[in-house]
Amino acid sequence: MTRPVLDVRELTKVYGAGEATVHALRGVSLAVGRGDYVAIMGSSGSGKSTLMNILGALDVPTSGTYLLDGVDVSRLVDRQLALARNRLIGFIFQAFNLIPRMTAVANVELPLAYAGVRSRERRLRAMAALEVVGLADRARHEPNQLSGGQQQRVAVARALVTEPALLLADEPTGNLDSRSTGDVLQVFDQLSSAGRTIVLITHEPEVGDRAKRLIRLVDGRIVTDRRQQPVLASMGRHTV
Ligand code: ADP
Ligand code: MG
């Protein structure tokens, strides 16, 4: 494989000390190549969020190494970590995290504003990202004028707009009904077909089934890591 987008080795994470010590990760090694679509599953307490926070450069491991697009993230200090994060990762959260009373297109533009991109180019790129998720016609709507599924697709556009090396999603369909889940998964399918690298955490087997690779965590360890034939959407597209 060419240089992996993500390459973690023997990650451990220990919380607390003494009697309160928790070994949240007990030696996790994982390489994700460009264009892969990985679902991470595991029961509550298995270490999913801990792993996701480390993969997202939001937290540091107790031990182990982490290369993100060839950059040794375990050695970066806070400011560099924030820069690597902004440049390399697009985040999608369970709760969408859109800014209220700001239009969809303005929300999508935000990461570009932080990166210092000028307003005209910001607008063009944000509109193109909304086009990708099928919501160009909702660009002027504010979050509370959009359905849950539409809000999450706006959040996907916001994650995409900086052209990150990695899309990282934590329970992206956890707050959605089945129809909206279908719409969001269809966007992920489409992004995966277009060569995007996606890592997501999910509790839902039907979400995990759509990925190309399924990883199971139990008690801070990877117990299964296998390729699978992704299940493709059986439903038609609902965009309204
Ligand atoms: P999951 O997301 O799979 O539910 P987590 O990564 O949140 O699992 O948690 C893994 C283990 O680490 C759990 O036992 C949890 O209680 C513990 N844990 C998580 N975060 C902290 C923290 N900040 N301090 C102490 N223990 C924590
Ligand atoms: Mg969790």
Side-chain angles (χ1 to χ4, degrees):
M1 153 162 89
T2 54
R3 186 177 78 197
V5 173
L6 220 163
D7 188 353
V8 301
R9 305 218 180 133
E10 290 300 321
L11 288 185
T12 71
K13 183 70 178 183
V14 181
Y15 292 113
E19 297 222 331
T21 300
V22 176
H23 294 269
L25 296 178
R26 298 170 183 267
V28 168
S29 298
L30 166 68
V32 176
R34 203 164 298 282
D36 211 351
Y37 181 2
V38 183
I40 299 175
M41 300 191 74
S43 57
S44 178
S46 59
K48 300 183 301 297
S49 293
T50 300
L51 179 58
M52 205 64 166
N53 289 340
I54 295 171
L55 298 183
L58 298 166
D59 197 3
V60 290
T62 303
S63 66
T65 58
Y66 176 17
L67 299 183
L68 177 59
D69 208 28
V71 177
D72 187 348
V73 174
S74 32
R75 284 159 170 253
L76 299 181
V77 297
D78 285 356
R79 211 185 82 82
Q80 295 169 311
L81 208 56
L83 283 174
R85 194 160 54 222
N86 291 343
R87 194 164 57 80
L88 299 172
I89 305 172
F91 288 98
I92 297 147
F93 304 95
Q94 178 171 352
F96 323 140
N97 296 3
L98 298 177
I99 310 238
R101 290 181 294 282
M102 251 177 90
T103 61
V105 69
N107 267 281
V108 175
E109 278 183 38
L110 269 183
L112 296 175
Y114 295 139
V117 177
R118 296 169 67 157
S119 76
R120 194 183 144 73
E121 190 191 339
R122 279 203 315 253
R123 188 53 50 113
L124 288 172
R125 286 171 63 180
M127 285 305 300
L130 282 172
E131 194 88 50
V132 168
V133 301
L135 286 177
D137 60 342
R138 295 291 190 277
R140 305 280 161 196
H141 290 231
E142 294 178 5
N144 68 4
Q145 302 168 320
L146 297 168
S147 71
Q150 290 172 335
Q151 288 182 60
Q152 191 60 305
R153 282 149 63 203
V154 171
V156 171
R158 179 184 56 187
L160 278 176
V161 78
T162 53
E163 301 279 330
L166 176 67
L167 287 174
L168 206 48
D170 193 355
E171 298 276 8
T173 57
N175 283 7
L176 300 178
D177 61 23
S178 65
R179 174 178 159 150
S180 296
T181 293
D183 290 343
V184 168
L185 290 179
Q186 203 153 5
V187 169
F188 282 127
D189 288 349
Q190 192 189 315
L191 293 172
S192 177
S193 304
R196 297 279 173 181
T197 310
I198 304 170
V199 175
L200 64 77
I201 282 186
T202 184
H203 271 98
E204 299 161 83
E206 65 270 35
V207 176
D209 287 347
R210 301 281 279 262
K212 295 186 201 167
R213 179 178 171 193
L214 189 65
I215 290 176
R216 285 185 191 281
L217 271 184
V218 174
D219 197 18
R221 286 193 183 89
I222 292 179
V223 295
T224 340
D225 181 351
R226 60 176 173 80
R227 303 235 142 249
Q228 61 182 10
Q229 194 60 46
V231 173
L232 291 175
S234 53
M235 291 189 296
R237 179 159 191 152
H238 313 283
T239 47
V240 183

